[in-house]
Amino acid sequence: MTREQKFMQEAIHLSRHGMQLQHGGPFGCVIVKGEEIVGRGWNRVTSTNDPTAHAEVVAIRDACSRLGTFQLDGCEIYTSCEPCPMCMGAIYWARPRKVYFGNTREDAATAGFDDSFIYTELALPLDSRLIKLCNLGREEALVVFREWAEKQDKTAY
């Protein structure tokens, strides 16, 4: 068994573990730095009433907390399923070097976790989406962005 297969097996184990605990859907994730697992997560959506508590997000939070950083430089993510659009956004913000996944998004859809409507919605113009996005208060909000741009002691990310 390769090192990658070993870490994927742990992600799959966590997917089953969380499911058996009734914490949420069958999704698990580990984050690895070098040869060490630095973050673990499984889906906890239904047990925490948190729609963002996907395995990848839980694992990213765990790894960042353990590493004392908001970015996962040099890390790899092993997840039991291809990440959804929300998780991919979190992954891009965390900046790991690589993501390995088990099940595909098509496999997830077959199992009852179909994200295709999100991909479709995101490709639509704002005024054509089911959930309307309305621009409001832009001038006031831009003032804060200008303050950020001028801030000397900021931590860029």
Side-chain angles (χ1 to χ4, degrees):
M1 180 181 297
T2 68
R3 91 182 258 293
E4 291 83 7
Q5 290 169 326
K6 178 182 81 165
F7 292 129
M8 181 57 73
Q9 287 301 309
E10 179 62 16
I12 293 167
H13 165 76
L14 290 175
S15 73
R16 181 177 288 114
H17 175 73
M19 177 185 68
Q20 290 173 340
L21 289 174
Q22 303 287 359
H23 285 183
F27 302 95
C29 181
V30 295
I31 299 178
V32 175
K33 187 159 192 167
E35 298 302 316
E36 179 185 359
I37 294 176
V38 295
R40 286 181 170 80
W42 57 84
N43 185 289
R44 297 179 185 195
V45 169
T46 58
S47 62
T48 62
N49 294 320
D50 179 356
T52 69
H54 289 200
E56 296 89 343
V57 172
V58 172
I60 288 169
R61 290 173 179 160
D62 184 42
C64 288
S65 176
R66 288 174 188 247
L67 296 172
T69 183
F70 55 86
Q71 293 187 331
L72 298 174
D73 299 324
C75 292
E76 301 168 336
I77 295 179
Y78 294 81
T79 181
S80 65
C81 188
E82 183 178 352
C84 74
M86 177 188 69
C87 292
M88 280 309 304
I91 287 167
Y92 272 98
W93 279 112
R95 295 180 175 89
R97 67 181 186 90
K98 197 170 208 175
V99 177
Y100 296 91
F101 65 91
N103 291 313
T104 66
R105 70 173 85 164
E106 293 80 15
D107 298 330
T110 300
F113 301 95
D114 190 354
D115 294 332
S116 62
F117 78 98
I118 298 173
Y119 292 101
T120 301
E121 282 286 302
L122 292 176
L124 294 173
L126 297 181
D127 63 352
S128 298
R129 294 181 185 177
L130 290 175
I131 298 175
K132 302 298 181 210
L133 277 82
C134 307
N135 189 237
L136 179 66
R138 182 168 179 249
E139 290 306 315
E140 291 174 73
L142 279 172
V143 170
V144 181
F145 270 4
R146 285 193 281 278
E147 291 170 6
W148 171 261
E150 296 169 8
K151 187 172 173 46
Q152 297 300 309
D153 61 344
K154 65 185 168 201
T155 301
Y157 60 97

